Amino acid sequence: MAAFVCLTPDDAIRRDIAQLEENYWDFASANTKEWTHGYHPYPAMMIPQVARSLIHLILKHQPRTKRLFDPFMGSGTSLVEGLVAGLEVSGSDLNPLSHLLASVKTRAWPPDVLQTAFAKILADYRSLSVREADWPQFENLLYWFKPQVIDDLTRLKKSIEQCDQELRPFFWVAFSATVRHVSNSRNQEFKLYRLDDKRLALWNPDVRETFTRIVQRNLSGNEALWHRHSLPSVRLLQDNAMDLRSVQDGSVDLMLTSPPYGDSRTTVAYGQFSRLSLQWLNLSTTSLEPHRVDQSLLGGKTVKDVGSWSILPSPTLNQALAVIAQKDSRRARDVLAFYLDLDRSLKEIARVMRPGGYQCWVVGNRRVKQVQLRTDAMICELSERYGMSHVATIRRRIPNKRMPKENSPTNRIGQKVATMTEEHIVILRKA
């Protein structure tokens, strides 16, 4: 008679992962706009199905899991999935736009109340008049928006301000998405690039039609979440991931996040992406210039003097830094600055984990100077001294993430290489 073998949770997780099909984690044909996920675009958003599958995997083998935390919450993808799975969720981000999106996506309003408010907003929009004196005051307004668009956005903003204060956040999200769509920027870019003169001359967006289409789409998402009835608690923080002062030691059961791939200046400029919305919404005076957000994120401040590249206990990182430094010492310092900040975040996140709790990192291994930076391996190496042990690493292709497909590693015209076509999911456990 065969002996009964009792698997540890780690072994059971590894077994379940091994039994899945190779392309299971790609979700190439999945509907990524379920629930409230489709409310607003955001750079490098985590695929909801990735978060959902990871949550279910951890819950299956660690049923004590009650509290989910995302220290780089972005637009709140992991938080929404945590709520739907019945978990208490909390998240943090320095970007004010992130807070607006996450707060609205994790809340449900009575559908009929929103419909009534929406009808009133449209009625007020038709009746209100605006003057140039009513326009928002920020630099390059006419560079990014045509005069008629400014008039219409100003009228729409006034209309939303007249609806019930409790309902406004829902419509501010739709307004923000409208601002981005009707601006003179190239909508498929995550950084701010103005349309060329030929395309700009033909660009005459309809503000009311755009807003109406976005609200109607978002109303469907709200109704789906509303029918979940009682939702667990949500807590949103403005802590820097390097200093989670609002989070108690050992209070997190599951950490699930997709951190920045690199510093905002050379990868995903979250501040630039958010800039026009922040300016129209007056969300934060410190965020009106993109560098105020981007410089506060991982790697936002460069390392000026480096005595040795081997500052951090990661052989994978140190080997890559040595090669990059031979080609360009300035870029090597940029890379080191990012991983120094990431290491501080790893220490803080490990502190708030309870013993036996799991971390799930969805990361991309970018290239700098044609050198691949294996962030998945670096996280494992750096986290070890903070009491985290490696459980598994999963590789998935990126079929539909809002990311550039190519960049220029040498700044020579015509020379481009692929950036990130796949991600790695790193699962760690607190000892």
Side-chain angles (χ1 to χ4, degrees), residues 268-285:
V268 180
Y270 294 94
Q272 278 199 45
F273 177 87
S274 308
R275 175 183 172 183
L276 299 179
S277 293
L278 294 176
Q279 290 172 320
W280 272 96
L281 293 171
N282 299 319
L283 282 178
S284 174
T285 57

Side-chain angles (χ1 to χ4, degrees), residues 41-52:
Y42 202 76
M45 292 172 68
M46 185 193 304
I47 301 300
Q49 285 76 12
V50 170
R52 186 179 309 164

Side-chain angles (χ1 to χ4, degrees), residues 216-227:
Q216 289 173 339
R217 177 197 65 197
N218 292 0
L219 285 170
S220 297
N222 173 78
E223 185 167 4
L225 197 62
W226 173 257
H227 288 306

Side-chain angles (χ1 to χ4, degrees), residues 39 80 91 103 121 196 214 235 250 326 336 345 351 371 389 403 410:
Y39 275 14
V80 173
S103 66
I121 288 171
D196 59 63
I214 292 171
R235 184 183 181 213
Q326 291 178 349
L336 178 58
S345 300
R351 173 185 65 79
V371 176
S389 61
M403 282 292 298
T410 60

Side-chain angles (χ1 to χ4, degrees), residues 308-312 314-328 331-337 339 371 373 378:
S308 169
W309 295 110
S310 302
I311 296 175
L312 294 171
S314 169
T316 304
L317 172 61
N318 295 333
Q319 182 180 6
L321 282 173
V323 177
I324 296 171
Q326 291 178 349
K327 300 180 178 183
D328 188 334
R331 292 295 288 120
R333 290 195 298 273
D334 290 342
V335 171
L336 178 58
Y339 286 103
V371 176
L373 297 169
M378 297 173 197

Side-chain angles (χ1 to χ4, degrees), residues 217-279:
R217 177 197 65 197
N218 292 0
L219 285 170
S220 297
N222 173 78
E223 185 167 4
L225 197 62
W226 173 257
H227 288 306
R228 295 292 297 186
H229 301 296
S230 178
L231 293 173
S233 64
V234 180
R235 184 183 181 213
L236 303 184
L237 312 171
Q238 291 184 312
D239 288 354
N240 190 314
M242 294 177 275
D243 182 13
L244 298 171
R245 61 185 64 189
S246 302
V247 188
Q248 296 180 349
D249 294 3
S251 61
V252 174
D253 299 321
L254 170 61
M255 192 288 306
L256 172 56
T257 196
S258 180
Y261 293 140
D263 64 275
S264 292
R265 186 176 61 261
T266 60
T267 54
V268 180
Y270 294 94
Q272 278 199 45
F273 177 87
S274 308
R275 175 183 172 183
L276 299 179
S277 293
L278 294 176
Q279 290 172 320

